[in-house]
Amino acid sequence: MKIICIGRNYANHAKELNNKIPEEPVFFLKPETALLPKRNPFVYPSFSNDVHYETEIVVRINRLGKHIHEQFAHKYYNEIGIGIDFTARDVQSELKKKGLPWEKAKAFDGSAPVGHKFIPVNQFDDVQNINFSLKVNGETRQKGNTKDMLFGINQIIAYVSQFITLKIGDLIFTGTPEGVGPVKIDDTLECFIEEEPMLKFKVK
Ligand code: MG
């Protein structure tokens, strides 16, 4: 499986990092080794001093597809979850300056914790109106709603599948709202969809 991540998909987040609003979706990949095994802590990587959380709604692909038309894209996923797109911001800033790829900052081991629970799509009235949030040590740090995505889930699936075949089990991280920030060792992170706890782990 592969993990596809959308960048700059919420206007207020693009602004907080001084990035332009994209005209088409920006995406990058994380390998399977970026998943955090169940009950494992996130191990703070030694090559960074500024690892940030980015809380994101995650879509699980349930059908093989290539060149998917936007109007059929809803048939290619059936579950919604939540994850953290961990980013070594200091490393990413250096790579950005040099115009180099972001993998060192984004694709490292454990950089994509995903909740073990997923919610069937049919339990939502509207997938483009889902509230989600992150608490660090019990305090809310990030809050978002999928209605604020610049590119909705169906647009993302249509766009990405022009370039990359989507396979069953692939995960799409759909971008973070504003409020990203650093984590530190001993922090406890907990993610929610609406009021439901979906993912919890510690930083070690
Ligand atoms: Mg992100």
Side-chain angles (χ1 to χ4, degrees), residues 41-45 184-187 202-204:
F42 169 74
V43 178
Y44 201 103
K184 51 185 195 324
I185 289 170
D186 290 334
D187 280 348
K202 268 191 88 134
V203 179
K204 239 179 86 171

Side-chain angles (χ1 to χ4, degrees), residues 5-7 13 28 54 56 85 87 106 175-176:
C5 303
I6 307 300
H13 168 64
F28 58 91
E54 296 186 357
E56 309 197 3
D85 166 19
T87 305
K106 286 281 198 182
T176 186

Side-chain angles (χ1 to χ4, degrees), residues 1-3 59-63 167-172:
M1 60 81 68
K2 56 189 173 291
I3 303 163
V59 168
R60 178 141 54 195
I61 298 297
N62 69 333
R63 208 168 150 179
K167 295 178 81 173
I168 295 168
D170 287 351
L171 298 176
I172 303 181

Side-chain angles (χ1 to χ4, degrees), residues 129-145:
N129 187 10
I130 298 173
N131 291 299
F132 60 102
S133 61
L134 166 73
K135 284 184 180 173
V136 181
N137 306 325
E139 184 188 304
T140 302
R141 292 284 182 85
Q142 252 192 312
K143 263 186 174 176
N145 187 294

Side-chain angles (χ1 to χ4, degrees), residues 5-9 13 28 30 53-56 84-87 89 92 102 106 173-177 180:
C5 303
I6 307 300
R8 305 174 187 172
N9 201 26
H13 168 64
F28 58 91
K30 296 193 189 222
Y53 53 76
E54 296 186 357
T55 312
E56 309 197 3
I84 301 283
D85 166 19
F86 273 123
T87 305
R89 197 69 72 200
Q92 187 194 31
W102 294 359
K106 286 281 198 182
F173 276 62
T174 56
T176 186
V180 302

Side-chain angles (χ1 to χ4, degrees), residues 76-93:
Y76 288 81
Y77 70 99
N78 64 348
E79 288 181 310
I80 302 266
I82 197 164
I84 301 283
D85 166 19
F86 273 123
T87 305
R89 197 69 72 200
D90 46 356
V91 176
Q92 187 194 31
S93 299

